[in-house]
Short mmCIF file of all heavy atoms in Angstrom, two decimals:
data_model
loop_
_atom_site.label_atom_id
_atom_site.label_comp_id
_atom_site.label_asym_id
_atom_site.label_seq_id
_atom_site.Cartn_x
_atom_site.Cartn_y
_atom_site.Cartn_z
N ALA A 110 -8.16 11.28 2.22
CA ALA A 110 -7.25 12.16 3.02
C ALA A 110 -6.34 12.93 1.93
O ALA A 110 -6.21 12.56 0.80
CB ALA A 110 -6.31 11.29 3.87
N ASP A 111 -5.66 14.07 2.45
CA ASP A 111 -4.80 14.77 1.59
C ASP A 111 -3.56 14.05 1.26
O ASP A 111 -3.00 14.00 0.17
CB ASP A 111 -4.50 16.19 2.14
CG ASP A 111 -3.92 16.16 3.54
OD1 ASP A 111 -3.95 15.15 4.22
OD2 ASP A 111 -3.46 17.22 4.00
N ASP A 112 -2.96 13.40 2.31
CA ASP A 112 -1.65 12.72 2.11
C ASP A 112 -1.97 11.19 2.26
O ASP A 112 -1.77 10.62 3.29
CB ASP A 112 -0.68 13.17 3.17
CG ASP A 112 0.74 13.47 2.60
OD1 ASP A 112 0.79 13.32 1.33
OD2 ASP A 112 1.56 13.87 3.31
N VAL A 131 -9.91 15.58 2.83
CA VAL A 131 -9.85 15.89 4.26
C VAL A 131 -8.46 15.71 4.75
O VAL A 131 -7.88 14.67 4.75
CB VAL A 131 -10.82 14.90 5.01
CG1 VAL A 131 -10.85 15.27 6.40
CG2 VAL A 131 -12.22 14.93 4.30
N PRO A 132 -7.84 16.84 5.23
CA PRO A 132 -6.47 16.74 5.74
C PRO A 132 -6.32 15.78 6.87
O PRO A 132 -7.17 15.62 7.74
CB PRO A 132 -6.21 18.17 6.23
CG PRO A 132 -7.21 19.09 5.57
CD PRO A 132 -8.48 18.31 5.37
N LEU A 133 -5.15 15.08 6.79
CA LEU A 133 -4.74 14.24 7.93
C LEU A 133 -4.59 15.08 9.16
O LEU A 133 -4.26 16.28 9.05
CB LEU A 133 -3.39 13.56 7.67
CG LEU A 133 -3.33 12.54 6.41
CD1 LEU A 133 -1.86 12.17 6.30
CD2 LEU A 133 -4.20 11.38 6.72
N ILE A 134 -4.74 14.60 10.30
CA ILE A 134 -4.45 15.36 11.61
C ILE A 134 -3.17 14.66 12.26
O ILE A 134 -3.34 13.46 12.56
CB ILE A 134 -5.57 15.48 12.54
CG1 ILE A 134 -6.80 16.15 11.90
CG2 ILE A 134 -5.21 16.09 13.88
CD1 ILE A 134 -7.99 16.30 12.74
N GLY A 135 -2.14 15.23 12.34
CA GLY A 135 -0.92 14.69 12.85
C GLY A 135 -0.58 13.41 12.13
O GLY A 135 -0.15 12.45 12.73
N GLY A 136 -0.78 13.39 10.84
CA GLY A 136 -0.39 12.31 9.95
C GLY A 136 -1.34 11.15 9.94
O GLY A 136 -1.25 10.13 9.33
N THR A 137 -2.53 11.36 10.67
CA THR A 137 -3.48 10.28 10.84
C THR A 137 -4.81 10.70 10.21
O THR A 137 -5.22 11.79 10.24
CB THR A 137 -3.77 9.93 12.33
OG1 THR A 137 -2.51 9.78 12.92
CG2 THR A 137 -4.59 8.71 12.48
N HIS A 138 -5.52 9.67 9.62
CA HIS A 138 -6.87 10.02 9.07
C HIS A 138 -7.82 10.67 10.03
O HIS A 138 -7.89 10.19 11.17
CB HIS A 138 -7.57 8.66 8.64
CG HIS A 138 -7.11 8.22 7.24
ND1 HIS A 138 -6.07 7.33 7.15
CD2 HIS A 138 -7.59 8.40 5.98
CE1 HIS A 138 -5.87 7.10 5.82
NE2 HIS A 138 -6.81 7.68 5.14
N ASP A 139 -8.48 11.72 9.68
CA ASP A 139 -9.52 12.43 10.39
C ASP A 139 -10.85 11.80 10.05
O ASP A 139 -11.51 12.32 9.21
CB ASP A 139 -9.38 13.91 10.02
CG ASP A 139 -10.52 14.70 10.71
OD1 ASP A 139 -11.11 14.22 11.63
OD2 ASP A 139 -10.70 15.89 10.26
N LEU A 140 -11.20 10.72 10.75
CA LEU A 140 -12.40 9.99 10.36
C LEU A 140 -13.66 10.94 10.56
O LEU A 140 -14.66 10.85 9.82
CB LEU A 140 -12.52 8.71 11.14
CG LEU A 140 -11.41 7.68 10.83
CD1 LEU A 140 -11.71 6.32 11.59
CD2 LEU A 140 -11.37 7.36 9.27
N GLU A 141 -13.64 11.72 11.70
CA GLU A 141 -14.68 12.62 11.94
C GLU A 141 -14.93 13.61 10.84
O GLU A 141 -16.02 13.79 10.27
CB GLU A 141 -14.50 13.47 13.23
CG GLU A 141 -14.50 12.67 14.56
CD GLU A 141 -15.96 12.28 14.80
OE1 GLU A 141 -16.85 13.05 14.57
OE2 GLU A 141 -16.10 11.04 15.22
N MET A 143 -13.87 13.21 7.79
CA MET A 143 -14.31 12.42 6.52
C MET A 143 -15.83 12.18 6.61
O MET A 143 -16.47 12.31 5.53
CB MET A 143 -13.49 11.18 6.48
CG MET A 143 -12.02 11.45 6.20
SD MET A 143 -10.98 9.93 6.13
CE MET A 143 -10.88 9.77 4.29
N VAL A 156 -9.96 4.79 3.10
CA VAL A 156 -9.13 4.82 4.34
C VAL A 156 -7.93 3.79 4.20
O VAL A 156 -8.20 2.57 4.06
CB VAL A 156 -10.06 4.30 5.60
CG1 VAL A 156 -9.17 4.31 6.85
CG2 VAL A 156 -11.31 5.21 5.74
N CYS A 157 -6.78 4.43 4.21
CA CYS A 157 -5.57 3.52 3.98
C CYS A 157 -5.02 3.26 5.34
O CYS A 157 -4.68 4.13 6.11
CB CYS A 157 -4.60 4.40 3.10
SG CYS A 157 -3.15 3.56 2.65
N ASN A 158 -4.93 1.99 5.72
CA ASN A 158 -4.63 1.63 7.07
C ASN A 158 -3.71 0.37 7.20
O ASN A 158 -4.08 -0.75 6.82
CB ASN A 158 -5.92 1.24 7.91
CG ASN A 158 -5.79 1.49 9.37
OD1 ASN A 158 -5.12 2.44 9.78
ND2 ASN A 158 -6.48 0.64 10.09
N ASN A 160 -1.60 4.03 6.91
CA ASN A 160 -1.65 4.98 5.84
C ASN A 160 -0.26 5.08 5.08
O ASN A 160 0.72 5.29 5.70
CB ASN A 160 -2.04 6.31 6.36
CG ASN A 160 -2.26 7.32 5.17
OD1 ASN A 160 -2.84 7.02 4.12
ND2 ASN A 160 -1.73 8.61 5.32
N THR A 163 2.29 8.05 5.56
CA THR A 163 2.62 8.40 6.90
C THR A 163 2.89 7.24 7.86
O THR A 163 3.50 7.45 8.91
CB THR A 163 1.59 9.41 7.46
OG1 THR A 163 0.32 8.77 7.43
CG2 THR A 163 1.52 10.77 6.83
N GLY A 164 2.28 6.05 7.56
CA GLY A 164 2.58 4.89 8.44
C GLY A 164 1.66 4.82 9.55
O GLY A 164 1.68 3.83 10.40
N THR A 165 0.80 5.87 9.80
CA THR A 165 -0.10 5.87 10.95
C THR A 165 -1.28 4.94 10.81
O THR A 165 -1.53 4.41 9.65
CB THR A 165 -0.62 7.29 11.12
OG1 THR A 165 -1.23 7.73 9.92
CG2 THR A 165 0.53 8.33 11.45
N TYR A 166 -2.03 4.78 11.84
CA TYR A 166 -3.21 3.83 11.69
C TYR A 166 -4.37 4.34 12.44
O TYR A 166 -4.31 5.17 13.37
CB TYR A 166 -2.86 2.42 12.17
CG TYR A 166 -2.80 2.28 13.72
CD1 TYR A 166 -3.73 1.56 14.38
CD2 TYR A 166 -1.79 2.85 14.46
CE1 TYR A 166 -3.76 1.40 15.72
CE2 TYR A 166 -1.68 2.69 15.87
CZ TYR A 166 -2.71 2.01 16.45
OH TYR A 166 -2.64 1.80 17.84
N VAL A 167 -5.57 3.90 12.07
CA VAL A 167 -6.81 4.11 12.88
C VAL A 167 -7.12 2.81 13.55
O VAL A 167 -6.94 1.69 13.00
CB VAL A 167 -8.08 4.51 11.97
CG1 VAL A 167 -7.77 5.88 11.29
CG2 VAL A 167 -8.39 3.51 10.93
N ASN A 168 -7.45 2.91 14.81
CA ASN A 168 -7.60 1.70 15.65
C ASN A 168 -9.05 1.05 15.49
O ASN A 168 -9.90 1.59 14.82
CB ASN A 168 -7.27 1.95 17.11
CG ASN A 168 -8.30 2.84 17.76
OD1 ASN A 168 -9.49 2.97 17.35
ND2 ASN A 168 -7.82 3.62 18.82
N ALA A 171 -12.08 3.20 16.61
CA ALA A 171 -12.36 4.31 15.79
C ALA A 171 -12.96 3.84 14.41
O ALA A 171 -13.90 4.40 13.90
CB ALA A 171 -11.08 5.08 15.51
N TYR A 296 6.54 10.25 12.41
CA TYR A 296 5.19 9.63 12.75
C TYR A 296 5.37 8.18 13.14
O TYR A 296 6.10 7.50 12.31
CB TYR A 296 4.20 9.70 11.54
CG TYR A 296 3.78 11.07 11.15
CD1 TYR A 296 3.73 11.46 9.86
CD2 TYR A 296 3.43 11.92 12.08
CE1 TYR A 296 3.37 12.72 9.54
CE2 TYR A 296 2.96 13.22 11.78
CZ TYR A 296 2.96 13.65 10.43
OH TYR A 296 2.52 14.89 10.12
N PRO A 297 4.97 7.75 14.27
CA PRO A 297 5.11 6.29 14.66
C PRO A 297 4.46 5.44 13.57
O PRO A 297 3.32 5.78 13.22
CB PRO A 297 4.34 6.21 15.94
CG PRO A 297 4.03 7.55 16.41
CD PRO A 297 4.17 8.48 15.23
#
Side-chain angles (χ1 to χ4, degrees):
D111 55 348
D112 225 0
V131 180
L133 297 173
I134 297 179
T137 308
H138 277 89
D139 172 16
L140 295 182
E141 290 291 320
M143 294 179 95
V156 179
C157 187
N158 205 36
N160 186 43
T163 55
T165 57
Y166 75 109
V167 296
N168 66 29
Y296 294 135

